[in-house]
Amino acid sequence: MSIGDLLMAAVVFFSIITFVKIISSHFLKRKIIKSGHFDRAGILEQDAEIEVKKQVKYDQYPALKWGLVAFFGGIGFIVMEVLAVSNPIFKQYDSTMPYGIFFVSVAIGFLLYYVIMSRKVKE
């Protein structure tokens, strides 16, 4: 299974989820309107606005987020280079270990950003 196959499967999966979400939202709005509750028909949009407001709180410092991700990604590349000198498995083209090291280090950057922002939002 190649990266292209994996990417195609992810795009199809998220497309199906988005399609189902849009259709179910449409039918729910239609049901609310048919039942005569016109004032409550906009309730679905209000939930979406509340989620966006919460997300904005966590995304106050985008430079910090991408700085941490780039920093830890760079650390991942440094670790891969250091391990390549001492371990011959990294010199093989079919090894997936370097991808794992890189993605784990980027994930650590995102998690560190989440911890920092969680503490900031609680203050």
Side-chain angles (χ1 to χ4, degrees):
M1 182 178 230
S2 69
I3 297 292
D5 294 337
L6 186 64
L7 183 63
M8 184 174 63
V11 168
V12 169
F13 176 73
F14 286 114
S15 298
I16 290 171
I17 287 176
T18 304
F19 178 74
V20 169
K21 187 175 178 180
I22 289 170
I23 294 298
S24 65
S25 174
H26 169 73
F27 284 126
L28 183 59
K29 285 181 190 177
R30 200 169 106 193
K31 190 173 184 178
I32 290 172
I33 291 172
K34 278 187 176 182
S35 68
H37 298 287
F38 298 108
D39 55 335
R40 294 184 183 172
I43 197 166
L44 297 175
E45 284 85 16
Q46 290 175 356
D47 290 341
E49 289 174 11
I50 290 171
E51 288 179 17
V52 169
K53 288 179 185 176
K54 287 181 183 176
Q55 184 180 8
V56 169
K57 279 187 171 181
Y58 276 98
D59 204 16
Q60 287 178 352
Y61 303 103
L64 174 65
K65 174 172 52 177
W66 294 113
L68 284 171
V69 169
F71 176 72
F72 279 96
I75 288 177
F77 282 132
I78 292 170
V79 168
M80 286 189 294
E81 188 64 31
V82 168
L83 289 176
V85 170
S86 63
N87 197 348
I89 195 169
F90 282 93
K91 294 179 182 176
Q92 296 176 356
Y93 290 105
D94 59 349
S95 175
T96 57
M97 181 76 78
Y99 297 117
I101 291 172
F102 177 72
F103 287 127
V104 165
S105 62
V106 168
I108 290 171
F110 275 117
L111 289 173
L112 184 62
Y113 173 75
Y114 175 76
V115 168
I116 290 170
M117 290 311 296
S118 293
R119 290 183 181 165
K120 197 84 145 155
V121 166
K122 287 180 183 177
E123 290 177 357

